[in-house]
Every structure is written in structure tokens, then in C-alpha cells.
Amino acid sequence: MTSISSRRVAVVAAGVVAASALATVVGPQAGAARYYGAIAYATNGAGASVWSYPSRADAEDAALDYCGYSTCKVLVTFSECGAVAFDGDTLQGGSGSSLFAAINDAKSRLPGSWVESWACN
């Protein structure tokens, strides 16, 4: 298991998204090394976002570990950006080449939703 200090990890609190960050996050540069991230949530609303992992499986395992509950499941795995939308009842993941694209993907899968969390490599 990888230590917390060797990977950038953010545990997301349900419903907290910094609106100003939407304008400042950019996608990876062309030719950049491929990294993976994942966002997982539990049925109690606990969640975790991880990024900059060398493989999809590593990112998914880390998100589940940091989520910390037996009911955690990965909602989205991404190589560029991922987002989770919430409509008051259901959580839905989406991904894309930019934060804007990931948010649009998640929200298009769950009409009437808002952004619950996001992360980019």
C-alpha cells in the first residue's frame, strides 16, 4: 500500500466545490506522461478523490482505500479530468479532456444535477 505522503490525495466532503477553481484548472499538456485518477463514494456520502497514479487499477484501489467504508464504489476513473454530479438522490461520474468536459459529461448523465466533486491530473 502506498503511503499518503507519496501520493497527492484529497478527501472530498459531500457538497463542497470551490467555484473559483473551475476557471483555473487546465487539462494535461500534449505529450505529458499518462496518469490516472479516480473518485469514489460510499452510501453514507463519504468520498475520496485521488490523482497522479501510474495505473487505472492503482487509482481505483487508492480511491476505495481513502474513501474508507465497505460501501464505497468508484464512480469515475479518468486520465485527464473526472467529476461527480448529484441530483439530491443519485451520484453519477463523468470524465473528459478538461474540467469543463468532465463536468458536462457527469451532468449530462444525470439531468438536473449539480457538481458534487471533481479532480484533474
Side-chain angles (χ1 to χ4, degrees):
M1 178 178 213
T2 305
S3 71
I4 293 174
S5 62
S6 68
R7 299 280 183 220
R8 294 183 294 167
V9 176
V11 176
V12 293
V16 179
V17 173
S20 64
L22 294 177
T24 60
V25 175
V26 295
Q29 296 176 1
R34 182 162 290 248
Y35 292 103
Y36 296 87
I39 303 172
Y41 274 88
T43 56
N44 67 359
S49 297
V50 298
W51 58 94
S52 295
Y53 279 79
S55 75
R56 178 183 182 104
D58 288 343
E60 290 175 351
D61 288 346
L64 292 172
D65 286 345
Y66 290 116
C67 183
Y69 292 91
S70 62
T71 61
C72 291
K73 77 176 200 175
V74 173
L75 298 180
V76 63
T77 305
F78 55 89
S79 60
E80 294 167 321
C81 289
V84 173
F86 184 59
D87 68 358
D89 185 48
T90 303
L91 291 163
Q92 177 65 54
S95 62
S97 60
S98 68
L99 179 56
F100 181 77
I103 288 171
N104 282 340
D105 184 40
K107 289 177 70 177
S108 72
R109 297 168 187 262
L110 193 59
S113 62
W114 57 89
V115 176
E116 177 69 19
S117 63
W118 59 269
C120 291
N121 282 314

